[in-house]
Amino acid sequence: MMIKRKFAALLSLATWMYSCHLPQKDKKDKKDHRPNIVVILADDMGFSDPGCFGGEIHTPNIDWLAKNGTRFTNFYNTSRCCPTRASLLTGLYNQESGIGEMTTDQHEPGYRGYLTDNTVTIAEVLKSAGYQTAMSGKWHVSNTNVQPTKKEQLAWLNHQAFHPYFSPLYQYPIKRGFDKFYGTIWGVVDYFDPFSLVHDSTAVREVPKGYYHTDAINDSASAFIRQMSGKEQPFFLYVAENAAHWPLMAKPEDIAKYENTYKVGWESIREARYKRMVDMGLIDSSKAALSPRWNKGLSWKDNPDSIWDARAMAVHAAMVDCMDQGIGRILKTLRETGELDNTLIIFLSDNGASAEVCANYGPGFDRPSETRDGRQIVYDTKKQRLVGPETTYSSIGQRWANVVNAPYRFWKADSYEGGIHTPMIAFWPKGLNLKKGGFNNHVGHVMDFMATFVDLAKAKYPRTFRGHVITPTQGLSLVPVFKGQKAETHRALFNEHFGSRYVRSGGWKLVKKGGKDSWQLYNIAEDETELHDLADRYPDKVHQLDSMWQRWANEVHVFPKP
């Protein structure tokens, strides 16, 4: 506790220094009554992980937001971490913002690997409109600096060498509209000793004993709220969680809560989640049947790795649980500062759960080979080392990813619903004119947040910014939806990521898993879990939607591909 208090105190001191430099209104002016805006973005969390979306994971604070807000049942991301973050922050399709794949600059317009000069971030727009801005957590929308050799790169990743910048400085959050920042520039982290950790623009060389990154992200967010609350200007806070992205690392006390939960296996957990989703009215079983379990040839009772697999899912649950505890502290801070009632809180996940087997990657690029104190990190491809501590790099794999994305098929990086269909909650006591605790089926997308926040902030989305022409936002404001009014909807939604792609229009969805696969066609309005391929029955519809996708892909710089 003393360590956490010391860390919080140091962070508070550092963040206080910024308040001295914030623009101050004339004290004779009335307080600005525009809402504060807080976006909390989970990482690789499955659609049905939180309790309020059917999960057995203990998430009382996320559930409280749902009970006192609205759950959106048709909300979409772009299927992977950095593309979703790029789209959310800029109000554009991710290729238009420069991040068509990952964060390496591949020197094609859609694949620069950072937020390009034709973009503005939500923070830049709201700051121009008088908002205070802060961010804690995972940035992952800038180029990644690397060292000349693998040996030098590993020494850096292992905290045995020091280099002050993890990407070009002009691409850091504080150069893209955020007054304050605490978090990681890169995507993958050791939760107990994260690489690429930065306070504003200064690399954090060492963390205190007992550090856990999810706690630090949420406690930093709370500290920022305290610094920004009570001032005349409202604030925008972006809380970009790392949980529950691999590697599976959690605190022992959180893992202990789920020690026996997952010993019943994949089938039981998935079916129980689906039943809860139907019972609470989240999904209509006549339109969203539970999709077949992925690769169901192996039953749990015949699983030779059941002990390891149950532990892996327990650690995943512990990571989500810890994130929820931190969200509880953020809510507590908002209450204590008197800011809760006029704060719009958005909670969602950046994509479906990951099916990656990260142990297969081994050390290198963004994955260390040993801890700071020299302990070897095991990339356990044979499931012999129980996960949870800092010395193992593992992930939940395909079968558990299929469970936590229930009722949908597939997972992160795919354009099927399991990859792109995000759980989303909107909470705002003073401004949400929707049934408390209810559901809303408006079809929305992460790029809609820019238009929404510009609307709420009475801001202006710029045509030019810092001498650059800005691409017009492609999102639509959700404010009419929040007010319970009829809202404009997207004529079509699209995605492309490493060949996986879809177009959704007029109740139809055309989708394929990879560039060489055939298109599949679904009546998505009646077949939400994509079980009945109608491509052979409606070839004209396939051709129409394929033509729409091709036009979109050329317009937003999917092509040329690197």
Side-chain angles (χ1 to χ4, degrees), residues 11 63 147 160 193 216 341 419 456 458 463:
L11 182 61
D63 298 350
Q147 301 309 309
Q160 295 157 357
D193 193 1
D341 285 350
L456 291 173
K458 299 179 174 61
R463 294 184 179 181

Side-chain angles (χ1 to χ4, degrees), residues 3-16 18 38-40 133-138 178-184 194 197-200 204 207-208 211-229 235-242 322-323 325-331 333-334 337:
I3 291 167
K4 286 185 179 179
R5 287 177 180 170
K6 181 179 178 183
F7 174 74
L10 288 170
L11 182 61
S12 295
L13 177 62
T15 55
W16 171 84
Y18 282 88
V38 177
V39 174
I40 304 174
T133 60
M135 176 185 171
S136 64
K138 173 176 171 176
F178 290 99
D179 297 320
K180 319 168 194 293
F181 172 66
Y182 176 85
T184 51
L197 186 61
V198 165
H199 183 202
D200 296 334
V204 177
V207 297
Y211 183 96
Y212 186 70
H213 193 49
T214 301
D215 288 336
I217 289 172
N218 292 309
D219 291 342
S220 298
S222 292
F224 290 153
I225 291 168
R226 291 194 184 280
Q227 293 303 316
M228 295 186 293
S229 65
F235 59 80
F236 167 61
L237 173 63
Y238 175 39
V239 187
E241 308 278 1
N242 272 92
C322 182
M323 175 179 66
Q325 294 172 48
I327 292 170
R329 295 194 294 277
I330 291 172
L331 293 174
T333 303
L334 287 168
T337 55

Side-chain angles (χ1 to χ4, degrees), residues 445-473:
H445 190 279
V446 292
M447 65 184 172
D448 294 339
F449 293 132
M450 171 67 86
T452 304
F453 301 162
V454 166
D455 199 351
L456 291 173
K458 299 179 174 61
K460 186 175 181 180
Y461 185 87
R463 294 184 179 181
T464 61
F465 189 77
R466 294 177 181 167
H468 300 283
V469 176
I470 301 301
T471 304
T473 183

Side-chain angles (χ1 to χ4, degrees), residues 276-289:
R276 283 191 292 270
M277 296 165 88
V278 173
D279 289 347
M280 69 174 63
L282 178 69
I283 60 170
D284 180 346
S285 60
S286 69
K287 297 181 179 180

